Amino acid sequence: MTDRSAFSTLFVNTPVGSPNRAVYGVREVSSSAAGTVEVPERPDAEGGASRSLVGWLVFLTAVGALLRFYRLGHQSLWVDEILTLQAANVGGTLTLRDIVWNIQGPLHATLTHFVAKLSTSEPALRAASAVAGTATIPVVCLLGRDMAGRRVGLLAAALTTFSPFAVWYSQEVRNYSFLMLLAAASTLLVWRLLKMRRRGWWIYVLTMAMAIQSNLSAVFLASAHNIFAAPRAIRDRRLMGRWVAAYVVILILSLPIFLGVVRWVEVDDVGGRIGPISEASEPELLRGETTFTPAAVPYAFFALAYGYSLGPSLTELHLRPPMQAYLSDFWLIAPAGLLLAAAVLLGIRALCRRRAALLLLASMVVVTLAGAALLAFMNVKPFNARYVAVMFPALVVLVSAGVASLGRARGALLFSALAFFLLLSLGGYYFNPRYYREDVRAAAGYIEARERSGDAVLVPVVRDVFRFYYGGDLMDYAAYRSQTSSDAAVDELVSRVSAGHSRLWFVQSRLWRVDPEGRVAALIRDRYRPLDEVDFPGVRGTLFELEEVIGAQ
C-alpha cells in the first residue's frame, strides 16, 4: 500500500464504533471475569498499512519539531516565564527547599535550572518545552490508535502537529508542554493496563507522579483515571490491590508539591479569601471580574483547539468585555467553533459503541473543566485555558474520532476545514504582532539605548521581565494594586517615583492587573510633558519630562 493510499484510508466509510474491529487494527479476545479485553492486532497484520502509519508518523513528528523550534527565540519572555526562572533560582543555587516549596511545577523548574547553567537565551530556555511538545505527537498517535484504530491515531498526530495551542506552549518556559506529554503518556498507559491487560505498572506510577510534579492540574487527570478504573477494580480484587498500591506510591512521590501547596495556603492566606465569587468584592477577586466568566468554558475548548491566535488576542480579551471582543471577530470564530463542536459531537457518537474509550476521554474533559471551574468559583485560582491543558489529548482524540467516522469524502472535507483554521492560527502566532507575547525585551533595549543620567523607569506590572533584559543603570519602580486604588494613592506613587529625577520612562504593559481604571497613565499625562513614545507588541514606552505642565492639577 502506498503512502498516498494509506493516507486516503484515513477516511474510510466504516464508523469508529463499527463491530468490524479489524478495520481499526483491534481484535477482541476473551478474558477472565474482568470481561472482554481488546488487544491490538499484530503489527504485521496489515504490513503495508503499518509501514505507512510509521512513515506518516515520522513525517508528522519531523514537521512538528520544525514548527516547535521555528523562531523559538523570536518573542520576548513574558511574566509567567520569568516566574519559572525565579522558581528555578536561575543564577543561584537550587536547594531542596526551593523544590519542595514550588507549586508551579518543581520538575520543569529543576530542569530549567540546569539548562540555564548552559545558556539563558530564549531558545535555550525554551528548548526543553519544544522537545516535550514534539514527543507529544507520537504519544497522542498511539493513544488514538489504541482507543479507536490507526486512522484515529494518525489524525490525532496530524492535529497535534499543527495545533497552535501545543506550539504556543512548546515555545514557552512553562510546564504545560510537559503536562500535555505526560497526560497523553499516562492515559495511554492506563488504557493498556486496564483495557488491554498490558504490563508496566511502575511506568504508569512514575509517569503520573511526573505529571503531578509538572503541574498540579494533573490531579484532575488522576481523578479521571480513577473514575475509569473503578468499575474494573470493583470486579477484580487483584486489580484493586494493584491500583491502590500504585496510587499510594504516586502520593508518596508527589509529596514535595503537596507540601508546597500546604505552605502556599498558610503563607498567602488562601483560606481567608476562599468563598463564592458572587459574595466577594472586586478587590478580593484574584483577577477582578475575569476570575470566572460564563464564556470561559467554551473559550477553553476553542483555545485548546485553535490556540490564542485566532479571533481576539489575549490582550483584547483583557481590555474589552469578552462578549464584545468575540463579536468583533464573530465572522471568523463562529465557523471555526461550529466545526470544532461538530467534530467533538461526532467523536462522542462514534465512540458510543466503545464505551470504555468514551468513559476515559469524557472523564478527562468533564473532571478537568469542573475542577478548574470550581477553583475559580471559590476564588482559589482564576479560570484559564492553560489550566485545563491536561485534557488536550482527550480533546484531540475525540475530534479525530469524529473526523474518521464520516467516511472518505466528508471526513477529508471536515479535516481540511479544521486544518485551514489551524494553519490560519499558526500564521497569526508566528507573523502577526497582534498575537505576540508582550515585547518587554524590545522596550528594555529601546530605553537602554536612549537613557540619560537622572532618568527613572516606572514599570507597574512587568518589572521582573524588564530587569531580565535591561542592562542600564536607571532606578526602576513597580506599582501595585494598592497604590492605584484611588487618585490620592496614585498621586503619592507618582510623586515618590518622580522625586530627584529629571525624566521618567513609563512602561505600560498588562496594566489591567494593577490599574484597570488607567489612573496612573492619566495623572502622568496630565502632569508632565511627553518627549518620546514607542509601541511594541503589548507594550508602550513613553518618556516624560518631569517638569510640571503649567495648569496641571
Side-chain angles (χ1 to χ4, degrees):
M1 183 181 292
T2 64
D3 283 356
R4 179 179 178 183
S5 61
F7 191 72
S8 68
T9 59
L10 288 173
F11 309 106
V12 294
N13 293 318
T14 307
V16 171
S18 171
N20 183 14
R21 303 296 180 89
V23 173
Y24 287 91
V26 176
R27 60 185 175 88
E28 291 185 351
V29 298
S30 59
S31 182
S32 61
T36 300
V37 178
E38 294 176 3
V39 298
E41 290 190 349
R42 293 176 57 83
D44 58 351
E46 294 183 28
S50 296
R51 287 191 293 272
S52 295
L53 174 68
V54 172
W56 276 106
L57 182 56
V58 170
F59 170 74
L60 289 171
T61 304
V63 172
L66 178 63
L67 291 174
R68 284 150 179 79
F69 281 93
Y70 176 63
R71 307 187 89 186
L72 190 56
H74 176 69
Q75 296 187 34
S76 168
L77 298 178
W78 74 293
V79 173
D80 280 14
E81 291 180 283
I82 297 299
L83 288 177
T84 297
L85 301 187
Q86 292 172 342
N89 205 4
V90 169
T93 301
L94 188 68
T95 65
L96 181 61
R97 185 177 66 175
D98 294 328
I99 297 173
V100 171
W101 286 357
N102 179 9
I103 64 170
Q104 300 292 329
L107 179 64
H108 178 257
T110 302
L111 178 61
T112 300
H113 175 83
F114 291 104
V115 169
K117 289 182 177 295
L118 303 176
S119 173
T120 55
S121 68
E122 292 90 344
L125 293 171
R126 291 168 172 163
S129 294
V131 170
T134 302
T136 304
I137 296 168
V139 177
V140 170
C141 177
L142 293 175
L143 178 63
R145 184 202 65 178
D146 283 10
M147 283 187 162
R150 293 184 182 89
R151 294 164 190 82
V152 173
L154 190 52
L155 283 167
L159 292 175
T160 304
T161 296
F162 297 101
S163 165
F165 185 84
V167 169
W168 179 289
Y169 288 110
S170 295
Q171 297 197 336
E172 189 165 283
V173 194
R174 295 295 280 169
N175 52 49
Y176 299 105
S177 186
F178 281 76
L179 175 66
M180 288 185 278
L181 169 62
L182 293 167
S186 60
T187 302
L188 173 64
L189 289 167
V190 80
W191 177 263
R192 291 183 170 184
L193 286 170
L194 301 182
K195 190 64 179 170
M196 300 169 66
R197 296 289 173 159
R198 298 280 187 86
R199 296 182 178 181
W201 283 91
W202 65 273
I203 302 177
Y204 172 73
V205 167
L206 290 176
T207 304
M208 178 53 70
M210 290 171 65
I212 295 173
Q213 293 285 357
S214 292
N215 190 286
L216 266 174
S217 63
V219 171
F220 301 144
L221 178 68
S223 302
H225 287 181
N226 276 274
I227 292 173
F228 175 66
R232 292 161 177 78
I234 291 172
R235 296 193 303 263
D236 186 337
R237 291 184 178 181
R238 185 180 179 186
L239 176 60
M240 174 69 80
R242 288 181 174 179
W243 188 259
V244 172
Y247 267 85
V248 168
V249 178
I250 290 170
L251 180 61
I252 293 172
L253 294 175
S254 304
L255 276 178
I257 198 166
F258 291 141
L259 291 173
V261 171
V262 172
R263 177 181 177 275
W264 169 64
V265 170
E266 294 175 350
V267 173
D268 289 5
D269 190 27
V270 176
R273 69 164 184 258
I274 292 179
I277 56 176
S278 59
E279 300 177 4
S281 62
E282 186 168 338
E284 294 175 320
L285 296 176
L286 294 175
R287 300 282 171 83
E289 294 180 352
T290 64
T291 296
F292 185 78
T293 67
V297 173
Y299 176 74
F301 277 99
F302 190 89
L304 261 66
Y306 299 115
Y308 305 119
S309 44
L310 190 71
S313 68
L314 292 174
T315 298
E316 291 163 356
L317 288 173
H318 281 290
L319 295 178
R320 301 163 60 188
M323 291 308 300
Q324 182 181 338
Y326 297 143
L327 289 174
S328 65
D329 284 292
F330 183 78
W331 63 274
L332 181 62
I333 62 178
L338 289 174
L339 284 171
L340 173 63
V344 170
L345 293 175
L346 287 168
I348 293 173
R349 186 187 71 172
L351 292 173
C352 279
R353 294 184 183 179
R354 302 177 66 84
R355 288 177 294 178
L358 185 58
L359 173 63
L360 179 53
L361 297 176
S363 296
M364 291 172 64
V365 172
V366 173
V367 171
T368 300
L369 287 174
L374 178 62
L375 291 177
F377 182 77
M378 296 304 295
N379 204 32
V380 177
K381 195 171 184 66
F383 191 95
N384 194 295
R386 64 179 179 268
Y387 300 154
V388 297
V390 72
M391 75 180 202
F392 174 81
L395 181 61
V396 170
V397 173
L398 279 172
V399 171
S400 301
V403 173
S405 71
L406 286 179
R408 179 177 299 175
R410 291 183 298 169
L413 183 62
L414 179 56
F415 179 80
S416 299
L418 290 168
F420 168 78
F421 286 108
L422 292 178
L423 294 175
L424 188 64
S425 181
L426 275 178
Y429 169 72
Y430 287 124
F431 305 114
N432 190 343
R434 175 187 182 189
Y435 300 110
Y436 287 179
R437 296 171 180 87
E438 296 87 4
D439 198 354
V440 180
R441 175 179 60 189
Y446 186 89
I447 293 172
E448 185 177 344
R450 293 161 177 79
E451 66 182 29
R452 224 168 52 183
S453 178
D455 290 357
V457 186
L458 176 60
V459 195
V461 180
V462 295
R463 183 172 66 166
D464 289 338
V465 188
F466 182 84
R467 285 180 169 180
F468 180 83
Y469 287 112
Y470 178 66
D473 301 317
L474 300 183
M475 289 285 294
D476 61 72
Y477 300 87
Y480 304 97
R481 195 161 186 171
S482 60
Q483 297 172 304
T484 65
S485 58
S486 65
D487 291 340
V490 171
D491 182 79
E492 182 181 349
L493 167 69
V494 173
S495 298
R496 179 176 60 84
V497 170
S498 304
H501 300 287
S502 57
R503 302 194 309 174
L504 175 67
W505 293 93
F506 181 34
V507 180
Q508 303 175 67
S509 180
R510 304 179 67 84
L511 288 183
W512 61 81
R513 293 287 302 274
V514 299
D515 187 22
E517 291 82 13
R519 290 191 176 101
V520 176
L523 187 145
I524 292 177
R525 286 191 175 277
D526 184 58
R527 181 172 295 180
Y528 304 118
R529 181 168 64 91
L531 300 176
D532 186 18
E533 189 164 83
V534 61
D535 286 310
F536 302 104
V539 183
R540 169 169 291 177
T542 310
L543 174 64
F544 291 93
E545 183 179 27
L546 296 182
E547 179 179 340
E548 293 196 17
V549 179
I550 297 177
Q553 300 298 318

